[in-house]
Amino acid sequence: MTAPERTDDGRWIVVDGRRWRAEDPSLDAEVATRLRSHLGRARSAVRSGPDDASERRARDRVQLAKEGLGERGTAWWELTEAERAERAAERLASLDELAPPEHRS
């Protein structure tokens, strides 16, 4: 898989001509990997949720993961590196608590 095009400042990726906020490049690799894993599982749960309440919970998990990755919420370039790391750690802890039992570490 080819990496998406990035803007010169690195803050955005471009997919099919549309800009999307890029993942925070300063995130610890393990934290980013775990957040992406939660994101993938949450997206899957959105598609396969048996009811509206399950879908809503899954969408909330997507939001937390994307905030942790710096793709939503306050733009990562507006925060200090310490604030970015703290946000990622907080969102990851919340996701770990919310994860279905079979995905808890």
Side-chain angles (χ1 to χ4, degrees):
M1 186 167 149
T2 306
E5 175 189 350
R6 281 187 173 251
T7 58
D8 290 339
D9 61 10
R11 295 176 176 176
W12 308 93
I13 61 170
V14 180
V15 179
D16 295 329
R18 187 167 177 191
R19 279 187 344 165
W20 299 90
R21 192 184 310 170
E23 182 177 297
D24 180 350
S26 75
L27 291 178
D28 175 79
E30 180 182 344
V31 170
T33 297
R34 290 180 58 208
L35 285 165
R36 278 189 234 102
S37 178
H38 277 289
L39 178 59
R41 290 192 311 266
R43 283 179 168 161
S44 178
V46 167
R47 288 188 299 274
S48 63
D51 54 44
D52 289 345
S54 295
E55 183 181 330
R56 179 73 259 152
R57 286 190 299 274
R59 287 187 184 283
D60 290 345
R61 290 173 34 225
V62 167
Q63 179 69 20
L64 284 169
K66 291 188 90 41
E67 286 176 7
L69 290 165
E71 296 175 9
R72 291 189 184 158
T74 303
W76 51 262
W77 56 87
E78 295 177 1
L79 301 172
T80 66
E81 209 164 310
E83 290 170 328
R84 292 151 60 181
E86 181 180 359
R87 173 172 68 182
E90 287 174 355
R91 299 316 187 269
L92 185 55
S94 294
L95 286 161
D96 285 343
E97 288 179 18
L98 294 172
E102 64 271 18
H103 293 292
R104 291 186 183 152
S105 31

